[in-house]
Amino acid sequence: MGAVKVAATRARTDQRHLVVTFHERAERVRRHLRGQGAAPTGPLWVLYHGAVTPDGAASIEVALSFTGHAEPGEGTVVRLEGAHTRAVCRVLCRGCFPPRIMGAYAAVDRWLDARGAQPCGVFREVYPAT
């Protein structure tokens, strides 16, 4: 994947509040971009900066690529997501909830191990549909 501009915001959440939190943060980023005349493009990303579990909260980052110009503000940062290669496991909607989704993470780990590759960033989930 080539480099792309993103607008992103972080939140701390546990597993019980995860879906509500990332939807709220995604809408916050969309409002921020629209308010500045920029347009979201591509899928929604949720990056995990720690383990979100039923017993503990961790930081997540919700990011959207965009076209146009936008400045940071209102808890939203604007940054360049560097070019990278992704190891992807496609998951249907019914498999996007714990504990089922953990199989996707395990599949990516196995793929990396089989190739002697190491992840260079945090795990992310990419949601191509709204």
Side-chain angles (χ1 to χ4, degrees):
M1 180 178 150
V4 63
K5 285 188 303 186
V6 299
T9 185
R10 285 192 182 203
R12 192 164 176 81
T13 187
D14 61 13
Q15 196 175 71
R16 192 175 101 189
H17 299 100
L18 176 60
V19 173
V20 170
T21 300
F22 83 65
H23 282 292
E24 182 275 326
R25 292 298 168 140
E27 185 52 34
R28 178 184 291 194
V29 172
R30 287 184 185 105
R31 275 193 318 267
H32 180 78
L33 292 172
R34 285 191 305 262
Q36 297 194 25
T41 61
L44 166 74
W45 308 336
V46 180
L47 293 85
Y48 292 87
H49 297 279
V52 176
T53 68
D55 300 323
S59 178
I60 65 167
E61 181 179 12
V62 177
L64 286 163
S65 60
F66 67 93
T67 59
H69 179 79
E71 293 291 331
E74 301 176 24
T76 301
V77 300
V78 174
R79 64 179 168 80
L80 185 65
E81 175 83 9
H84 59 273
T85 301
R86 290 185 182 169
V88 175
C89 179
R90 294 187 189 271
V91 178
L92 298 176
C93 187
R94 67 179 174 265
C96 285
F97 299 95
R100 293 178 99 180
I101 197 160
M102 299 316 292
Y105 285 90
V108 170
D109 278 337
R110 286 191 303 274
W111 188 91
L112 291 169
D113 286 345
R115 287 153 182 80
Q118 295 294 317
C120 61
V122 299
F123 273 106
R124 68 182 65 206
E125 294 173 2
V126 179
Y127 293 89
T130 57

